[in-house]
Amino acid sequence: MALQSPILSFLRLSSHSRSPILQFRPFLTRNHHRRHLQTSSTSPPIPDYAFAFDIDGVLVRSSDPLPRAHKALSYLQSQNIPFILLTNGGGKHESERVEELSKKLKVPLDTSMFVQSHTPFEELDEYKDKTILVVGGDEDKCRRVAERYGFKSVITPGDILTAHPSIWPFSQQFLPYYASFSRPLPRPILPNDPTNSLQISAVFIYNDPRDWGLDIQVLKDLLLSRAGIFGTLSSKNNNPELPNRGFQRDGQPPLFFSNPDLLWAAAYHLPRLGQGGFREALEGVWAAITGGPRMGVELEKTVIGKPFQATFEFAERKLLTHRADLVREQELGRAEQKVGRLKRVYMVGDNPASDIRGGNTFKSPRGMEWVSVLVGTGVHVPGSEPEWAPRAEVGDVWDAVRWAVGEEKMKM
Ligand code: G3P
Ligand code: MG
């Protein structure tokens, strides 16, 4: 379901969707680009092409910078060639992650050139005054990201387990861990008093879940509930007269996943399961409970992140705003230098299913060309046939930059 046309499926899953319409806001401009913009009269003009770099498997492996990542990014900054970082990762606020990456890669970076999997959630204003459930990430870091996005009432599965340990019998040994960061619930779970019981208006999976058992149990309870009220069961469930056999037809909270990646490149030599693995596990449990596709039941959800159109649209807007700042800075320095519009973006990634598919299938609303470049330092095994064919396959990120700049030189 999530694999259909991205913008509408970004929020709308089917004709009777319950998802909101997303009104894109202009990004705030920032004025500290001088740090990495060459403005002297001899510095190169900002060209009509730019880059979007994936992070895991391209710039870093787990937390270690890849050998030529610094060289690639600092070269681009020396040539005033704009770039953004576009990752399906997350779990920390953009400002924190940018700070870390900047130090690791020894390249000045800032949030105006940075898109994480959950960054677009910041625009979902309609849930900011409602109680939402945020799943995934270390401890309750993702809750704090959501709060910095402006969500006022954010709970985690850990809060629920700490308040009601019987909700999932198999994480009792983790209670001390959860107690270290959980918070009291805004309302208790009161099966006999649903009007005063805890109610969830939306569920967001911000990052790779750590405790799949607890998280799947809590999501199952919500998806079968009446109107997202914990401890209740919807009477519409399993009604063959209703669409989707009545499942998710009783005001249950919409489900937002930020990252579809089944596999990603971490420290281990073989790819590891990602948020997509968790979603597949949930879908499996949901199908076992509801009868699944063979009974005409699906798990209605919204999945964003690469390769989906809406995430690339979000990233393209971010890149354009960032580039416009650089252009303004440069023109301040050299009024005579007029900079043309951006025509081409090189999407450099290690994962054919997200980076390359996204770069190949993205339809830029501004008619910009996106060119996919696959590196061999992450998920993709060099020499194997990638699921989605890139425009170019290279060794690592520095090879990707050299190849693209070479292509551009040939166009001159
Ligand atoms: O959890 C992160 C992973 O799915 C991939 O991240 O940077 O390769 O898009 P990235
Ligand atoms: Mg990657």
Side-chain angles (χ1 to χ4, degrees):
M1 189 68 167
L3 303 181
Q4 287 170 356
S5 103
I7 283 294
L8 279 184
S9 61
F10 179 53
L11 296 169
R12 177 171 297 139
L13 284 172
S14 61
S15 56
H16 37 64
S17 139
R18 285 162 300 125
S19 309
I21 296 289
L22 186 65
Q23 300 301 329
F24 286 147
R25 283 195 302 254
F27 292 119
L28 299 176
T29 64
R30 306 183 183 267
N31 52 17
H32 48 243
H33 295 298
R34 212 165 273 292
R35 274 192 307 173
H36 47 70
L37 179 72
Q38 318 303 324
T39 55
S40 69
S41 58
T42 55
S43 67
I46 294 172
D48 61 3
Y49 65 97
F51 287 79
F53 291 103
D54 172 50
I55 296 180
D56 291 302
V58 173
L59 300 175
V60 302
R61 273 301 288 251
S62 181
S63 57
D64 304 325
L66 281 162
R68 301 199 291 183
H70 167 79
K71 184 175 182 176
L73 299 187
S74 48
Y75 168 79
L76 294 177
Q77 287 185 335
S78 71
Q79 301 304 307
N80 286 336
I81 302 171
F83 63 84
I84 60 168
L85 305 189
L86 174 57
T87 176
N88 271 351
K92 291 177 185 152
H93 191 266
E94 286 68 18
S95 55
E96 241 180 280
R97 192 97 194 275
V98 151
E99 190 95 17
E100 260 176 36
L101 276 169
S102 232
K103 280 205 194 88
K104 230 176 258 162
L105 298 169
K106 299 189 178 55
V107 171
L109 302 168
D110 63 60
T111 54
S112 72
M113 54 204 292
F114 192 69
V115 177
Q116 298 190 107
S117 64
H118 45 68
T119 309
F121 287 161
E122 183 171 9
E123 303 198 341
L124 288 177
D125 297 342
E126 80 168 69
Y127 296 107
K128 295 211 166 144
D129 300 320
K130 306 236 172 80
T131 297
I132 63 168
L133 179 75
V134 165
V135 178
D138 289 330
E139 300 179 344
D140 70 336
K141 288 197 176 126
C142 290
R143 178 216 314 271
R144 285 182 263 132
V145 174
E147 287 172 338
R148 288 183 68 177
Y149 288 171
F151 294 89
K152 298 187 186 61
S153 174
V154 185
I155 70 166
T156 67
D159 298 344
I160 298 169
L161 182 75
T162 304
H164 299 274
S166 61
I167 202 164
W168 178 239
F170 304 123
S171 284
Q172 306 304 302
Q173 68 277 35
F174 305 140
L175 282 173
Y177 160 74
Y178 285 116
S180 66
F181 57 80
S182 65
R183 294 190 195 156
L185 294 172
R187 282 182 175 188
I189 296 177
L190 301 169
N192 308 323
D193 178 8
T195 39
N196 294 309
S197 186
L198 176 66
Q199 180 172 25
I200 302 292
S201 299
V203 176
F204 294 89
I205 291 76
Y206 264 57
N207 190 239
D208 307 75
R210 295 346 190 213
D211 188 346
W212 289 25
L214 170 66
D215 298 342
I216 288 176
Q217 178 68 68
V218 167
L219 292 184
K220 185 224 39 114
D221 289 345
L222 273 177
L223 291 165
L224 293 175
S225 72
R226 180 170 59 71
I229 301 171
F230 261 107
T232 65
L233 263 184
S234 166
S235 57
K236 292 188 178 171
N237 291 341
N238 210 16
N239 175 340
E241 309 303 311
L242 293 174
N244 211 37
R245 282 184 80 83
F247 291 104
Q248 295 179 282
R249 286 298 175 280
D250 197 6
Q252 290 88 353
L255 208 46
F256 296 93
F257 289 87
S258 69
N259 168 10
D261 288 354
L262 181 62
L263 300 171
W264 69 294
Y268 192 67
H269 65 286
L270 299 173
R272 302 294 79 187
L273 285 173
Q275 193 185 131
F278 171 79
R279 181 167 54 77
E280 293 296 344
L282 175 66
E283 300 239 17
V285 168
W286 184 245
I289 288 171
T290 64
R294 67 183 164 74
M295 297 298 285
V297 179
E298 62 174 316
L299 177 65
E300 295 189 346
K301 62 206 169 279
T302 299
V303 183
I304 66 168
K306 300 170 290 183
F308 299 130
Q309 172 83 12
T311 286
F312 275 84
E313 272 195 31
F314 187 95
E316 186 173 86
R317 276 189 312 118
K318 193 94 177 177
L319 175 57
L320 284 167
T321 306
H322 171 61
R323 183 175 181 269
D325 291 337
L326 297 178
V327 168
R328 218 185 346 274
E329 293 288 338
Q330 187 167 65
E331 286 177 348
L332 275 178
R334 298 160 51 167
E336 83 289 352
Q337 177 87 45
K338 284 289 164 254
V339 175
R341 71 177 188 83
L342 182 61
K343 293 199 184 95
R344 207 163 14 268
V345 183
Y346 292 91
M347 173 71 231
V348 181
D350 71 303
N351 188 333
S354 56
D355 307 309
I356 305 308
R357 177 182 170 191
N360 292 359
T361 57
F362 174 53
K363 294 188 179 33
S364 161
R366 300 164 192 82
M368 261 190 285
E369 182 193 8
W370 282 64
V371 177
S372 60
V373 186
L374 180 60
V375 298
T377 49
V379 169
H380 170 65
V381 179
S384 67
E385 188 65 32
E387 196 190 341
W388 291 80
R391 184 82 65 79
E393 184 177 339
V394 297
D396 70 0
V397 64
W398 174 239
D399 298 329
V401 166
R402 277 196 309 177
W403 175 81
V405 171
E407 287 290 291
E408 290 298 327
K409 291 222 164 72
M410 289 203 280
K411 288 183 200 318
M412 287 181 182

